[in-house]
Amino acid sequence: MFNLVIFGPPGSGKGTQSENIINKYGLVHLSTGDLLRAEKNSGSELGNKIKELIDNGNLVPDSLVEEMVKKNVANNKEAAGFIFDGFPRTTTQAAWLDNMLAEQGQSVTQMLALDVDDNELRNRILERGKVSGRADDQDENIINNRIAVYHKQTQPVIDFYSAQGKFVSVDGIGSLDDVFGRISDAMDKAMQN
Ligand code: ADP
């Protein structure tokens, strides 16, 4: 199995590049942002709680996201591997993922982090907000909060995978094809090992 963690700040291109990775490598895409938005839009009580957090640019509790990931991994027993997109976002989630995969004799193969500076992120998210309809993409204060939350709570996840020798940084600036070329090179290298 190839289990990829695609990592990076909000707006770094994780979702877009995940589509390219699926097309080339046939992995199952597991985006916690997509799963949470689906729950949010369902109008359930849980969905309303999630909405409050997401729309303000804050993280949803670890246990809730972990539950969703577990369910979706269990539902894809035949997968050749997963792309974890937007997960793990805290070191607690990263440790949980290691344990969950270990229970099935699996592990994270590689963590690819898309490197994009904060100014570029702000511009990209505002552009996306014009078409995405996402409330959290349309307000500059909320975008700034998401970037701050990333630096404070999510960036430490890099050290977690670095310590395991699984962290690879990819320059996320350039055309979609250029960035995907860098991602493919890194994945192909990991597959040869
Ligand atoms: P982006 O990368 O543009 O921020 P996502 O779709 O990955 O978009 O996430 C949107 C929002 O969903 C986050 O700001 C956060 O509120 C919530 N979220 C997504 N994944 C997680 C996670 N692993 N843990 C906690 N909250 C999450």
Side-chain angles (χ1 to χ4, degrees), residues 36-173:
L36 289 166
R37 276 187 290 278
E39 185 67 44
K40 173 188 140 170
N41 294 334
S42 75
S44 67
E45 202 177 314
L46 178 63
N48 292 337
K49 275 189 205 144
I50 291 172
K51 177 177 162 54
E52 177 75 22
L53 291 163
I54 290 189
D55 287 359
N56 287 302
N58 295 317
L59 297 186
V60 166
D62 291 330
S63 55
L64 199 162
V65 183
E66 290 162 4
E67 196 55 44
M68 280 183 163
V69 170
K70 193 173 186 174
K71 225 187 261 171
N72 278 272
V73 167
N75 285 342
N76 285 287
K77 289 221 157 38
E78 306 303 315
F82 291 91
I83 307 175
F84 296 98
D85 166 5
F87 183 89
R89 244 178 168 91
T90 61
T91 50
T92 305
Q93 292 177 13
W96 177 89
L97 180 61
D98 269 5
N99 284 333
M100 193 270 292
L101 290 173
E103 278 169 17
Q104 305 174 32
Q106 301 295 333
S107 59
V108 168
T109 312
Q110 189 175 47
M111 188 256 224
L112 283 183
L114 295 172
D115 187 20
V116 176
D117 63 84
D118 290 359
N119 271 336
E120 172 76 10
L121 296 174
R122 265 183 220 106
N123 293 336
R124 285 189 189 180
I125 297 173
L126 280 170
E127 272 309 303
R128 183 170 72 184
K130 293 179 187 165
V131 289
S132 73
R134 282 174 54 175
D136 61 341
D137 280 351
Q138 294 179 35
D139 179 308
E140 248 176 289
N141 289 328
I142 291 177
I143 294 169
N144 285 335
N145 185 45
R146 285 163 65 198
I147 294 173
V149 165
Y150 168 78
H151 287 304
K152 185 154 182 265
Q153 300 189 56
T154 304
Q155 212 165 11
V157 173
I158 289 179
D159 298 334
F160 183 93
Y161 289 108
S162 247
Q164 298 184 4
K166 292 178 178 172
F167 161 70
V168 178
S169 175
V170 173
D171 182 0
I173 303 276

